[in-house]
Every structure is written in structure tokens, then in C-alpha cells.
Amino acid sequence: MAIQISSSLLFSSLLPLFFFFSSLENSHASQPTRKDPEINHLHLLHLNSLLPSSSCTSSTQDSKRKGSLEVVHKYGPCSQQNHDETKVTHSDILNLDKERVKYIHSRISKNLGGGGESVKELDSATLPAKSGSLIGSGNYFVVVGLGTPKRDLSLIFDTGSDLTWTQCQPCARSCYKQQDVIFDPSKSSSYSNISCTSPVCTQLSSATGNDPGCSSSTKACIYGIQYGDQSFSIGYFSRERLTVTATDVIDNFLFGCGQNNQGLFGGSAGLIGLGRHPISFVQQTTSKYGKIFSYCLPSTSSSTGYLTFGAANSRRLVYTSLSSTSRSSSFYELDIAAITVAGVKLSLTPSLFSTGGVIIDSGTVITRLPPTAYAALRSAFRQGMSKYPPAPELSLLDTCYDLSEYKVISIPKISFVFGGPATVELQAQGILYVASIKQVCLAFAPNGDDSDVTIFGNVQQRTLEVVYDVGGGRIGFGAGGCK
Ligand SMILES: *[C@@H]1O[C@H](CO)[C@@H](O)[C@H](O)[C@H]1NC(C)=O
């Protein structure tokens, strides 16, 4: 193929364009020409393919797989959530994303290993007021069952944190509004409290950054985790039966039963922590899933992706090693060797990324690069986009275009070369953040300093199958995981 088409959906609609370009290039040839270097370095696409539609398309056959859950964007037609009361704008999403990155930077530079203040009772006043990772609004959730009989709960999944929690009755202090019925441990036969003298209670310090508390009456272990100036969950650290799929049931799963919860969780019932810490879902389910999970984040909020636990029936994947120099106990670290824009490698010193390190995060929306790398990427991208009229900046995104006069656009391809080397070509939907057709922005932003950790965020991961082979110490990427 002369044109590497981003998604097979686009294929048929691009064919006429393909012949148009081919005939321009070689007007005497009756066969389309097979290699035009310029075109090979561009994504050609219909603008429509960047916009969510008003109805939901389930995009994956993979979600029928064993141990596989459907992934839905929090705000979009595939979500059952009530959107009216949670009208979130694109600037809101991006502003929240800044808070998450601030939190990640503070966790990594201080390497919080607990030793914070302890959670005394179910009172938010006992949580130290430090910045947290707002569970940004650009997040994705899955539905799992908790308890016996099981109750279905929509939980945000997050590779950047470890504790799994949900709001619990009787909501002793406070519960925010959620879509599902709030979990009631008194109606479940498989629920049990964890004592504050139990060794697993102690593990909360390094998992949450707060030392656990102890209830004065029943000596139940109390956790506290905060995700931002206003978002937190505090409650009993407990064990319960977790039903992942009809055939995959995990007994005695450690989770937080939240009695005081507040924040921007978008109507979801709580969160699944998929980080590296021993209390994360991944580590707790080692015997069942072997420390492997994978996901595909859909290209727009009107399609679905998947989150699969256990070995995937892999398509073609390229693997990069998880770094062993751990800067924190939660995050997944890797290396970036190079970035190419339109087939040209950005000229960057090789140590640029290794100085501050690199993490991959499902919860950060926009990839953050060292300022030096961002400047080079932006300049190469702008060059390739020079024919399009500019549009105003959008929060942290400073390179935007008004594409309202176009039906078909061409954008420079961007590839990340991870350590290995493992070259991952981003889809068009992984390069652009579309606020509207009048404001389509380059979906990258600079860190404050070259020494800050680089974050490979979730826009860039869209449509890729991302496999976390935690036991094998590697991360795999495959094109075309979902639409
Ligand atoms: C768990 O501990 C809380 C707080 O002390 C208590 O109210 C609740 O009844 C306990 N639940 C069980 C099943 O022991």
C-alpha cells in the first residue's frame, strides 16, 4: 500500500483520494505508484473520523474474550452516566490534566513512601492537604461486580495508582453522586473488615502515601487517599469477592470501602488501581492473571475499547523493557530513544529522556515532554501543517488549527521509538486533540523543566493495544487494537 491508512474504517473512503494522489504524482502510469516518500509520512484522513458520533459503536470483538471488559470513555454516548449535571468542557479536562501531572511530578520527585500523616477516623481533615492526582475527566472506566450477591459497579481504571476502592453504605460521612447503586457491605455475605494490626493494613502507607488509621471501636483498618485539593476517599480497608467476568471470580480481594468520598469521579463508583504496588489489582490477581493486562482506549468517546486481564492473544506487538530504576512504587517506567515527525528523527541528545525518566499512564490525557523535545516536535509538526489556518490555544495546547473548511486533511505522522528499539507509530487520533473542527490541536505539551518525568499519556495510546507484561518486565504495543 502506498498509503498507510490509520484505520480500516477509513480504507474505503480514502481509496478515491489514493488514486487521486497517485495520478497526480505519475500521470502516465496506469497503476498507482507504490512509494511516494512524502505520502508515506502523512496521515490522510477525513475530518469526520476525528469527531465522536452521537451514538455508540462497540468496536471490539476482543471484549468477548475471557477476562476482558469493555472500556468506555467517561463522557460520551457509550457511557450510561448522566452527563447533564457533569457538563465538562475541553478546557476543564485539560486543566484537570495539569493537576494530575503536578501530582505525578511531586510523587516521583519526593518518592513518597508513606510516612505521611495517618488517617485517624473517617474525617477528611486528618488527610494532609497536599496536591493530588485529580482523577482527570479524560478517563476510562469498566464495570465489575463486587460482593455476594454481586453488585455491578463502574470503576475508573488507573495505571498510575494502586488502591481499588468504591463508595460504601452507610456513607458515614459523605458520598458523591454516582450512577450505580452504592455498594452496601452489610448486604454481602463475603465482605470482611481488615484489622489494623494486620500486615496488609501497613502496606497502605506506601500505596496511598498516608499511614493507615485504626477505628477505635472495632479496630478496623482505615485507609485514606487523596487525588487533588478536593478529591479523596476515606474508609475501611476490606476484603470482598470481586467478579471480573462471569467465569473470573477473585475471593478476598483487598479494596477500600469508602465512607467519606468527594471529588470529580464523573459519576463512577470508584477506581481500580492497576499500578505496580503489591496491593494493586495486578499484584493481587497474580495467580489468576499472571501479572499481565492489556487495554485499548477507543479513538473517540463514541466507541468502546477493552481492558483484558491475563495473557492476550497477541496481534503483532513490539516490546520495550520496563525500566528497573524505579523512581516510584506505582508507575510503569520505560525509555524513549527517539521521536520522529514526518519520518525525520528529532535532533535531541540521547540522555534527554533518561535524565527525568519516562512513565506510561492511562490517567494522564496529554503526553508531557521535556521542553526541549516539545519545542523540536512542535516546530516539525507546524512545518507539516503550515497550509492550515491557526486557531487559538486551548489550555495547555498551544498549536491549534481551524479545519472547518476541510473535509480531508493530511497531518505529519509521529512515531515514538521506545528502548529496544520499539517503534510505535501514533494514529492520527493519537496526535490531535479535537475540541471542535474549528480548534484541532497538537495533543502534546511541555513539562516545566527537562528534568521532570516524561509522561506518555492516554490520547497518544488511543487505538493501540497496550500490553503490560509486568512479570516479564516489558510493555508491548500493537497497532489497530480498537477503533
Ligand atoms: C467493619 O468495621 C466497621 C467500623 O468499625 C463496622 O461498623 C462494621 O460493622 C464492620 N463490618 C464487619 C462485617 O465486621
Side-chain angles (χ1 to χ4, degrees), residues 191-193 215 217-218 220 236:
Y191 176 91
S192 62
N193 284 333
S215 109
S217 50
T218 59
Y236 301 113

Side-chain angles (χ1 to χ4, degrees), residues 131-189:
S131 87
S133 81
L134 283 157
I135 292 301
S137 313
N139 273 297
Y140 298 90
F141 67 83
V142 292
V143 177
V144 295
L146 192 67
T148 311
K150 87 176 169 78
R151 302 285 172 200
D152 281 344
L153 300 171
S154 313
L155 303 178
I156 293 168
F157 68 92
D158 183 15
T159 62
S161 65
D162 300 292
L163 180 71
T164 298
W165 61 268
T166 186
Q167 301 199 101
C168 275
Q169 294 289 8
C171 297
R173 288 289 157 86
S174 166
C175 283
Y176 59 82
K177 204 163 172 190
Q178 70 176 47
Q179 196 67 25
D180 307 309
V181 173
I182 293 175
F183 183 73
D184 187 348
S186 74
K187 297 202 171 119
S188 169
S189 60

